[in-house]
């Protein structure tokens, strides 16, 4: 009889224990569990039961679906560690999220002893669920907890992580005091979510907790594309337009920060990076979508439409501690310095928000914003340009009222440039070079012909980036020009004259592909010298005017090497008392570019 009694007791106890276990319904990839009393973790298989106080660890690309006795389903994502802490019959299920991502669907059950059906605890937050679908992540490296509600509402409160205390008693023995666990007493779980500091996160909204905030951020709407992707991955039929209808407690889409109360509402319409737990807000110039009350996050990344995972902009990576950093491998593929500078600006803008959520490593952060001393250029560019061109020089002798056209036989400039980029707006450059020039002497008697020894070119300039597409340059130029003037004998005299000018140039980026770029440019020449060779020798004062216009095509076969071809037209007029010159030039340019 006693044996029968004990056998019945054991069977009843086993039955109770079976009812208090979660069950593995699906597994993909590699995952292990470590149950109480076990010395070694074992591989998880479909159909395994998971008792209380069991830790579940998933490997890269792994996925485990766990179902609790009350039909609550929880998906544990890749590279995650979760402790299924408590699975009671009539009270809240308790899950400790130590690292990684979980998605859960909590059913409304008959557990009338508690309003809260499930509690998810991280080291910085406690979330209470009362029948809903949600996705949450915790990153132990930056201690950031993030939450996105798909259906219903989830309550969230910040908890301060307290260290384990080791003390000595009166007898000299060491005593270990563990931090107080607010979820230990399941009878008082509902009281946790009745405090003023608790934030309720409705569907389609995000809230996050980190070390730098006093309490969870005010819930804001995430990017509709990300919500739709997450909802679809969890089997929800809800859409962004449905759940993002205005609520009375929705903050303004622009967001706000109240340092006095500690309330923070990020800009609406951003992306949640579930790997780092960081919220990525839309850019400053983003436009508001009135239908959903969110800003369009177009320049800060995108999402995987099948999973809802955040994808940073091309050429940028996100690090859990350092923030947004430039992906060197991808940035190497960028053809132009403007693209690289735009990438640096994007990183700096994204990191401003990152620093509000996470304590950024100051040493690493400074590396992102500066490549050296602030008194030295950030970048140097060397170019070598060969410019063959054709000249038509029209000379009008006012004394005889005669006019003649002279054509160049061969003409070319060779110019070397050293450019310095000081910051995202200002640049400078030094150019030196020489010219080889020869007139067509057919049927022409030329006296004092200087030959083809070549003449010099020198300039100093400063550049300003007016906009993403427009650059402006001002150069001080000194170069030598060739002239043909009537001589005292039967023929013409070839003479050179130094010509100084201020050159005002505007460059417009017409089209920019990955490795190709097409630009238009125009230059106005304001001449400082006002003298030209006159009739029969001597110099005369003259009114000079000149401009150059053209386009160039740039191709970069490496991140720091490329070639630029250009076509241009130039016109210079000089009107003196006895003579008038009009020079029309047409040419091509071939330039090798090396970005140091």
């Amino acid at each position: 009889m006693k044996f029968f009694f004990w056998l019945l007791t054991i069977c009843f106890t086993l039955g109770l224990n079976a009812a208090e276990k979660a069950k593995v319904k699906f597994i993909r990839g590699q995952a292990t569990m470590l149950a109480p009393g076990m010395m070694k973790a074992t591989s998880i298989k479909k159909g395994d039961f998971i008792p209380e106080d069991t830790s579940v660890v998933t490997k890269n690309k792994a996925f485990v679906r766990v179902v609790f006795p009350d039909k609550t389903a929880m998906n544990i994502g890749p590279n995650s560690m979760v402790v299924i802490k408590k699975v009671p019959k009539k009270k809240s299920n308790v899950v400790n999220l130590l690292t990684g991502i979980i998605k859960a669907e909590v059913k409304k059950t008959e557990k009338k002893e508690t309003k809260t059906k499930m509690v998810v605890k991280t080291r910085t937050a406690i979330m209470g669920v009362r029948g809903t679908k949600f996705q949450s992540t915790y990153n132990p490296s930056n201690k950031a907890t993030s939450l996105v509600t798909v259906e219903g509402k989830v309550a969230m409160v910040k908890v301060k992580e307290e260290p384990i205390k080791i003390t000595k008693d009166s007898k000299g023995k060491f005593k270990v005091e563990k931090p107080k666990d607010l979820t230990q007493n399941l009878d008082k779980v509902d009281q946790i979510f009745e405090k003023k500091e608790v934030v309720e996160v409705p569907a389609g909204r995000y809230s996050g907790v980190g070390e730098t905030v006093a309490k969870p951020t005010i819930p804001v709407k995430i990017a509709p594309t990300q919500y739709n992707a997450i909802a679809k991955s969890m089997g929800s039929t809800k859409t962004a337009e449905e759940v993002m209808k205005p609520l009375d407690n929705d903050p303004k889409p622009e967001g706000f920060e109240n340092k006095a109360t500690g309330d923070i509402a990020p800009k609406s319409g951003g992306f949640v990076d579930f790997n780092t737990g960081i919220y990525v807000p839309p850019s400053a110039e983003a436009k508001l979508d009135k239908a959903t009350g969110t800003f369009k996050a177009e320049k800060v990344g995108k999402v995987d439409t099948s999973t809802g995972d955040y994808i940073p902009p091309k050429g940028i990576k996100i690090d859990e501690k350092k923030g947004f950093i430039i992906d060197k491998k991808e940035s190497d593929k960028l053809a132009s310095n403007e693209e690289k500078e735009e990438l640096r600006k994007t990183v700096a803008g994204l990191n401003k928000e990152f620093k509000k959520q996470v304590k950024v490593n100051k040493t690493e952060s400074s590396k992102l914003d500066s490549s050296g001393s602030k008194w030295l250029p950030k970048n140097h560019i060397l170019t070598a340009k060969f410019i063959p061109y054709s000249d038509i020089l029209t000379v009008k002798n006012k004394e005889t009222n005669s006019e003649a056209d002279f054509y160049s036989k061969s003409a070319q400039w060779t110019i070397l440039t050293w450019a310095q980029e000081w910051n995202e707006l200002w640049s400078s450059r030094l150019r030196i070079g020489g010219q080889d020039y020869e007139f067509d002497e057919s049927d022409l008697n030329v006296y004092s012909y200087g030959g083809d020894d070549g003449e010099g070119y020198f300039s100093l300039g400063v550049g300003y980036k007016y906009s993403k597409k427009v650059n402006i340059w001002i150069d001080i130029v000194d170069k030598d020009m060739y002239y043909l003037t009537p001589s005292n004998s039967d023929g013409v005299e070839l003479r050179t004259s130094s010509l100084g000018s201020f050159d005002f140039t505007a460059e417009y980026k017409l089209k920019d592909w990955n490795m190709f770029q097409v630009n238009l440019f125009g230059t106005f020449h304001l001449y400082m010298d006002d003298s030209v060779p006159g009739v029969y020798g001597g110099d005369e004062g003259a009114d000079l005017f000149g401009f150059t216009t053209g386009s160039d095509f740039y191709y970069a076969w490496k991140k720091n090497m490329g070639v630029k071809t250009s076509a241009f037209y130039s016109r210079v007029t000089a009107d003196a008392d006895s003579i008038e010159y009009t020079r029309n030039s047409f040419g091509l340019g071939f330039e090798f570019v090396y970005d140091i």
Side-chain angles (χ1 to χ4, degrees), residues 168-293:
K168 282 186 179 181
D169 59 18
S170 57
K171 296 181 179 181
K173 293 183 177 180
F174 287 100
K175 183 180 179 182
V176 178
E177 295 182 16
K178 293 184 178 180
K180 184 179 179 181
D181 186 354
L182 297 177
T183 63
Q184 190 67 35
N185 189 344
L186 294 182
D187 293 327
K188 295 184 178 181
V189 163
D190 288 334
Q191 296 178 14
I192 298 174
F193 305 105
E194 293 173 0
K195 299 178 180 179
K196 293 182 180 180
E197 294 81 8
V198 172
V199 171
E200 275 201 337
V201 186
R205 276 80 172 170
Y206 152 87
S207 182
V209 175
E211 284 189 290
T212 58
V213 295
K215 48 188 170 182
T217 58
I218 304 298
V220 295
K221 300 172 186 177
I222 64 172
T225 53
Q226 187 173 38
Y227 173 82
N228 288 333
I230 296 172
K232 185 178 179 181
S233 70
M234 296 186 69
S236 175
T237 58
K238 300 289 185 181
T239 64
E241 288 190 357
E242 290 180 72
V243 302
M244 291 184 180
K245 292 178 180 178
L247 299 176
D248 292 339
N249 55 351
D250 274 339
K252 293 181 179 180
E254 297 81 5
F256 68 89
E257 181 176 358
N258 189 328
K259 293 184 179 179
T261 62
D263 291 327
I264 299 175
K267 196 172 186 176
S268 70
F271 299 115
V272 182
D273 178 48
F274 289 102
N275 289 319
T276 61
I278 298 302
Y279 178 78
V280 184
S283 61
E285 62 269 22
K287 295 181 180 179
L288 180 66
D289 179 7
K290 294 183 179 180
T292 58

Side-chain angles (χ1 to χ4, degrees), residues 429 431 457 459-460 462 471-477 479 499-507 520-529 543-550 568-573:
R429 64 187 178 190
R431 295 187 293 184
Y457 180 99
S459 74
L460 283 173
V462 60
N471 288 333
I472 297 173
W473 284 92
I474 300 176
D475 295 276
I476 301 175
V477 181
K479 64 180 179 180
L499 197 61
S501 66
F502 284 104
D503 287 3
F504 298 88
T505 303
E507 299 172 341
L520 302 177
F521 61 87
T523 302
F524 171 69
H525 308 285
L526 179 63
Y527 293 101
M528 296 178 285
D529 297 316
D543 295 326
L544 287 101
F545 172 80
F547 70 88
T548 302
T549 184
F568 69 90
Y569 165 68
S570 179
R571 181 180 176 88
V572 179
T573 61

Side-chain angles (χ1 to χ4, degrees), residues 201-452:
V201 186
R205 276 80 172 170
Y206 152 87
S207 182
V209 175
E211 284 189 290
T212 58
V213 295
K215 48 188 170 182
T217 58
I218 304 298
V220 295
K221 300 172 186 177
I222 64 172
T225 53
Q226 187 173 38
Y227 173 82
N228 288 333
I230 296 172
K232 185 178 179 181
S233 70
M234 296 186 69
S236 175
T237 58
K238 300 289 185 181
T239 64
E241 288 190 357
E242 290 180 72
V243 302
M244 291 184 180
K245 292 178 180 178
L247 299 176
D248 292 339
N249 55 351
D250 274 339
K252 293 181 179 180
E254 297 81 5
F256 68 89
E257 181 176 358
N258 189 328
K259 293 184 179 179
T261 62
D263 291 327
I264 299 175
K267 196 172 186 176
S268 70
F271 299 115
V272 182
D273 178 48
F274 289 102
N275 289 319
T276 61
I278 298 302
Y279 178 78
V280 184
S283 61
E285 62 269 22
K287 295 181 180 179
L288 180 66
D289 179 7
K290 294 183 179 180
T292 58
T294 61
F295 286 92
K296 296 180 180 180
E298 296 174 336
K299 297 183 179 180
V300 295
K302 57 183 179 179
V303 295
D304 185 323
T305 54
S306 61
T307 63
D309 292 337
Y310 169 68
I311 303 172
K314 187 175 181 180
I316 296 175
K317 296 190 295 186
I318 180 170
D319 184 273
E320 55 199 11
K321 288 185 176 181
K322 303 174 186 176
F324 289 87
I325 57 178
I326 293 176
D327 185 341
K328 189 176 184 304
K329 185 177 179 181
E330 288 296 324
S331 65
D332 285 352
K333 300 176 183 178
L334 298 178
S336 67
N337 290 324
E338 292 175 350
E339 287 179 308
K340 295 173 187 176
E341 189 59 40
E342 188 65 27
L343 198 64
R344 287 192 286 266
K345 289 175 66 177
T346 301
V347 166
L350 290 171
N351 277 329
K352 286 182 181 179
E353 185 63 31
F354 184 90
K355 293 174 184 178
K356 294 179 183 178
Q357 303 177 53
V358 175
K359 289 182 179 179
V360 179
N361 184 311
K362 291 184 179 180
T363 302
E364 295 293 340
S365 177
S366 64
K367 292 179 182 178
L368 303 178
D369 302 326
S370 176
S371 58
S373 170
K374 63 181 180 179
W375 304 111
L376 296 176
K378 284 188 173 183
N379 195 34
H380 298 267
I381 300 171
L382 298 177
T383 71
K385 190 172 185 178
F386 177 64
I387 313 170
Y389 67 98
S390 296
D391 241 1
I392 303 174
L393 180 64
T394 302
V395 181
K396 183 179 180 180
N397 188 338
K398 293 184 178 181
E399 293 186 356
T400 61
N401 200 27
S402 59
E403 184 176 303
D405 291 332
F406 302 97
Y407 300 89
S408 61
K409 182 178 180 181
S410 65
Q412 58 270 331
W413 283 99
T414 302
I415 297 177
L416 303 177
T417 302
W418 172 33
Q420 307 85 33
E421 295 179 341
W422 297 90
N423 52 46
E424 62 184 36
L425 295 178
W426 294 97
S427 302
S428 58
R429 64 187 178 190
L430 165 68
R431 295 187 293 184
I432 57 175
Q435 178 183 205
D436 289 320
Y437 195 96
E438 216 178 310
F439 276 107
D440 184 359
E441 297 183 55
S442 303
D443 303 322
L444 185 67
N445 292 323
V446 179
Y447 297 93
S448 301
Y449 187 70
D452 36 23

Side-chain angles (χ1 to χ4, degrees), residues 383-390 411-415 431 517 519 521 548-555 562-569 585-593:
T383 71
K385 190 172 185 178
F386 177 64
I387 313 170
Y389 67 98
S390 296
Q412 58 270 331
W413 283 99
T414 302
I415 297 177
R431 295 187 293 184
Q517 186 173 306
N519 302 308
F521 61 87
T548 302
T549 184
S551 64
D552 59 54
F553 176 85
Y554 179 72
Y555 167 68
V563 64
K564 183 184 291 185
T565 60
S566 58
F568 69 90
Y569 165 68
S585 304
F586 307 85
L588 297 174
F590 302 93
E591 186 172 14
F592 173 77
V593 180

